[in-house]
Amino acid sequence: MVGEPVDRALLEQLDEALAAVTAAVPWAERSGNRVVWSTRHGSPEPADPGGAGLAELGRFCHEISAADVGNGWFVHPVDRRRAGPDVPTEVIGFGRCTPFGSSGGGDWFVLADDGAVWMLPPSPIHDGRYEPGPVPISRVAGSVREFVEIVLATARDV
């Protein structure tokens, strides 16, 4: 396990902060700023490298939509994370990754095999292979929990 897992209390704090964003931003809608609670009750995440936290996140949360937080932060539902030719499952020169979200600017959030969360800026993806481009890949967080904590802190700053 990489660090502490995501728990319901953290997600409840995030949902409250996202509700406050909706109240503070005149054009924001609650449906675009919320935690969508899971009804799966503990079903495992299909890919969770090294027990990095996607499984725990999936036990409580189906998706996160923070459309009006920064440039947007989104944790996609499991069915939108499935491999496809335009979904990154490998970063050329870095190795395999597990996609789980995106930003409002076209960046992908992926989980590396070591449990770190990376942001892949827009760049070509061919048969699941992401080709790094001129904009560098950046490490966003050391774990899924830390990623959720960053979204929470950013939402509280809105």
Side-chain angles (χ1 to χ4, degrees), residues 66-146:
D68 297 302
V69 177
N71 196 30
W73 299 70
F74 303 93
V75 172
H76 298 171
V78 173
D79 60 343
R80 286 195 48 212
R81 298 183 213 164
R82 301 286 185 227
D86 59 344
V87 177
T89 56
E90 177 184 354
V91 178
I92 296 171
F94 291 91
R96 300 212 35 87
C97 64
T98 303
F100 70 91
S102 63
S103 76
D107 306 297
W108 279 94
F109 294 116
V110 300
L111 189 63
D113 284 341
D114 68 356
V117 175
W118 291 81
M119 185 171 66
L120 309 179
S123 196
I125 302 170
H126 302 286
D127 295 323
R129 298 183 76 214
Y130 173 89
E131 297 176 19
V135 178
I137 296 168
S138 58
R139 186 176 186 270
V140 176
S143 67
V144 173
R145 180 181 178 94
E146 185 181 343

Side-chain angles (χ1 to χ4, degrees), residues 36-93:
V36 178
W37 299 102
S38 177
T39 58
R40 295 181 302 143
H41 302 295
S43 61
E45 199 67 21
D48 196 355
L54 283 180
E56 287 85 3
L57 180 66
R59 283 191 190 106
F60 302 109
C61 167
H62 179 65
E63 73 180 284
I64 295 171
S65 180
D68 297 302
V69 177
N71 196 30
W73 299 70
F74 303 93
V75 172
H76 298 171
V78 173
D79 60 343
R80 286 195 48 212
R81 298 183 213 164
R82 301 286 185 227
D86 59 344
V87 177
T89 56
E90 177 184 354
V91 178
I92 296 171

